[in-house]
């Protein structure tokens, strides 16, 4: 039997996916402008291969994690992890926005 849809989990999942997209776009922009360098070795390797590989890899990895947590939504841990990821991506996007403000 499937767990019922929880609106707060759906919102948290949307925040994670949109936050990941924003993080990827900000990071890609900063890398292209040579204002930052990628510290994550896997993501750096993907970026050095191509910016498209970077974005596809980044979006795919987080999407896979979100799908796995949504699949296990009956477990309270899945809810906690999705909300924690949403909070982390909110902070990351806020950090990126603060960098943009400093550059302006």
């Amino acid at each position: 039997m499937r767990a019922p849809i929880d609106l707060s989990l759906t919102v948290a999942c949307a925040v994670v996916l949109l936050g990941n997209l924003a993080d990827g776009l900000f990071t890609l922009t900063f890398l292209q402008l040579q204002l930052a360098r990628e510290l994550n070795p896997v993501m750096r390797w993907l970026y050095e291969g191509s910016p498209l590989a970077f974005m596809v890899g980044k979006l795919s990895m987080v999407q896979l994690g979100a799908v796995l947590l949504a699949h296990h939504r009956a477990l309270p841990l899945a809810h906690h992890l999705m909300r924690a990821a949403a909070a982390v991506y909110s902070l990351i996007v806020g950090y990126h926005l603060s960098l943009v403000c400093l550059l302006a």
Side-chain angles (χ1 to χ4, degrees):
M1 181 172 178
R2 296 193 94 160
I5 293 177
D6 179 346
L7 184 59
S8 67
L9 183 63
T10 302
V11 169
C13 186
V15 168
V16 168
L17 297 177
L18 292 173
N20 182 46
L21 176 61
D23 176 36
L25 292 172
F26 277 120
T27 301
L28 186 60
T29 301
F30 294 149
L31 290 171
Q32 293 286 309
L33 295 173
Q34 297 181 347
L35 297 172
R37 63 186 187 106
E38 181 59 59
L39 297 178
N40 179 326
V42 173
M43 297 309 297
R44 183 175 46 243
W45 177 75
L46 287 172
Y47 177 74
E48 289 170 355
S50 82
L52 179 61
F54 171 84
M55 285 301 292
V56 169
K58 178 167 186 38
L59 296 175
S60 298
M61 285 184 256
V62 173
Q63 177 74 27
L64 177 61
V67 166
L68 288 172
L69 289 175
H71 180 73
H72 294 287
R73 66 186 173 274
L75 300 173
L77 179 60
H79 290 250
H80 295 304
L81 292 173
M82 187 68 78
R83 289 185 184 109
V88 168
Y89 270 110
S90 296
L91 292 171
I92 290 170
V93 171
Y95 175 73
H96 284 307
L97 290 171
S98 72
L99 291 178
V100 169
C101 290
L102 287 174
L103 294 172

